[in-house]
C-alpha cells in the first residue's frame, strides 16, 4: 500500500514537471514565431530600383508575336516579369504556380529566359503557356541586372517597378503581389522598418 501511494506521488510530480516544461516550450515557440522574418522575396540585384520606371523594350516573343515590356500596360493592369531559364529546376516547378497566381490576380506575365533554342523548345513542350508570354532575351536580364533566377519584377499599370526579388517559392511570388497592400516592397525594407520601430 505504501508503494502504491509513493508511486502515485511520483507520477504527479512527473506530470507537473512535464506541464511546466511544456508551458516553457510554448512560450519560446511564441517568441520565435514573433521574431521570425517574413518569407518574402529578397532583392539581390543592383538594377533599376523600386519606384523607378522599368526599362522599355519592343521585341518578338518566342513565337514571333510583338511584346512591349515597360511603359504603360495596354491592358491597364500590372505585369509580372519572371526571369527564368529552361534548365532551372526551381523555375520548372514554379511555372504552374505562376500560371495560377496570374489567373487569380488578373495580372499579365512575361517570362524572360535565355539559353539554347533546343532547351526552350523542350521547356515549352512540357508546359502550356496559356496567356503567359515567353521571351528569349539576355538584353532584358542585363538591363534589370538580374544575377540569380528565378527572379520576379512586378510593374504597375504605368510601368513603374513596385516590387522585385528572388522567387523560389509560392510565398516569394505572393510577397511581390502584396507589396502595394503592405507598403513594404521588399524583405529588406520590412526588416529595416522592424529594427527602426524596435529601437
Amino acid at each position: 500500500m505504501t508503494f502504491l501511494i509513493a508511486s502515485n506521488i511520483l507520477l504527479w510530480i512527473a506530470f507537473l514537471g512535464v506541464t511546466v516544461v511544456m508551458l516553457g516550450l510554448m512560450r519560446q515557440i511564441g517568441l520565435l514565431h514573433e521574431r521570425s522574418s517574413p518569407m518574402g522575396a529578397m532583392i539581390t540585384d543592383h538594377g533599376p530600383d523600386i519606384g523607378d520606371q522599368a526599362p522599355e523594350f519592343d521585341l518578338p516573343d518566342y513565337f514571333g508575336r510583338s511584346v512591349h515590356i515597360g511603359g504603360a500596360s495596354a491592358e491597364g493592369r500590372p505585369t509580372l516579369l519572371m526571369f527564368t531559364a529552361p534548365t532551372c529546376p526551381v523555375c520548372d516547378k514554379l511555372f504552374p504556380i505562376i500560371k495560377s497566381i496570374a489567373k487569380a490576380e488578373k495580372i499579365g506575365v512575361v517570362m524572360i529566359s535565355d539559353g539554347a533554342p533546343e532547351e526552350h523548345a523542350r521547356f515549352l513542350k512540357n508546359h502550356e503557356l496559356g496567356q503567359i508570354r515567353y521571351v528569349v532575351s539576355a538584353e532584358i536580364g542585363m538591363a534589370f541586372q538580374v544575377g540569380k533566377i528565378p527572379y520576379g519584377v512586378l510593374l504597375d499599370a504605368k510601368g513603374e517597378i513596385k516590387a522585385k526579388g528572388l522567387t523560389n517559392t509560392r510565398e516569394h511570388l505572393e510577397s511581390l503581389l502584396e507589396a502595394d497592400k503592405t507598403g513594404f516592397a521588399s524583405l529588406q525594407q520590412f526588416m529595416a522598418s522592424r529594427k527602426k520601430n524596435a529601437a
Side-chain angles (χ1 to χ4, degrees):
M1 188 67 173
T2 308
F3 176 75
L4 190 61
I5 293 169
S7 66
N8 273 335
I9 291 170
L10 285 172
L11 280 173
W12 273 105
I13 291 170
F15 173 75
L16 291 173
V18 168
T19 303
V20 169
V21 169
M22 190 178 74
L23 290 172
L25 283 172
M26 286 171 61
R27 182 179 178 277
Q28 284 303 110
I29 289 168
L31 289 172
L32 284 172
H33 179 71
E34 202 174 282
R35 294 177 185 164
S36 63
S37 300
M39 294 300 293
M42 182 167 276
I43 297 173
T44 61
D45 69 74
H46 302 288
D49 210 350
I50 291 161
D52 293 349
Q53 283 295 121
E56 292 193 47
F57 295 90
D58 279 300
L59 67 174
D61 69 5
Y62 182 82
F63 303 100
R65 297 170 299 182
S66 178
V67 177
H68 182 78
I69 294 170
S73 164
E75 297 85 17
R77 61 181 182 171
T79 302
L80 177 64
L81 306 179
M82 279 303 305
F83 292 89
T84 65
T87 55
C88 163
V90 178
C91 305
D92 196 58
K93 288 178 184 172
L94 271 181
F95 184 77
I97 298 168
I98 294 167
K99 273 184 77 171
S100 71
I101 287 175
K103 189 176 180 181
E105 298 288 334
K106 296 180 175 56
I107 61 169
V109 176
V110 180
M111 291 186 71
I112 301 159
S113 193
D114 193 15
E118 62 273 12
E119 292 169 347
H120 297 296
R122 187 169 50 249
F123 178 85
L124 294 171
K125 185 181 175 185
N126 295 330
H127 297 287
E128 175 58 45
L129 289 177
Q131 298 299 312
I132 294 174
R133 307 299 293 274
Y134 192 87
V135 175
V136 179
S137 172
E139 184 186 359
I140 301 172
M142 287 189 285
F144 282 90
Q145 296 186 31
V146 173
K148 295 180 181 179
I149 55 170
Y151 199 85
V153 178
L154 180 67
L155 310 180
D156 69 8
K158 296 175 184 175
E160 183 182 306
I161 298 172
K162 301 307 284 182
K164 61 180 184 171
L166 278 173
T167 52
N168 291 318
T169 63
R170 175 184 280 275
E171 289 80 13
H172 292 166
L173 277 167
E174 288 174 347
S175 75
L176 294 180
L177 302 175
E178 289 294 314
D180 281 337
K181 297 173 191 172
T182 62
F184 296 108
S186 69
L187 175 62
Q188 292 98 319
Q189 197 179 86
F190 178 83
M191 293 306 293
S193 170
R194 281 188 66 166
K195 285 179 185 172
K196 187 177 177 183
N197 291 338

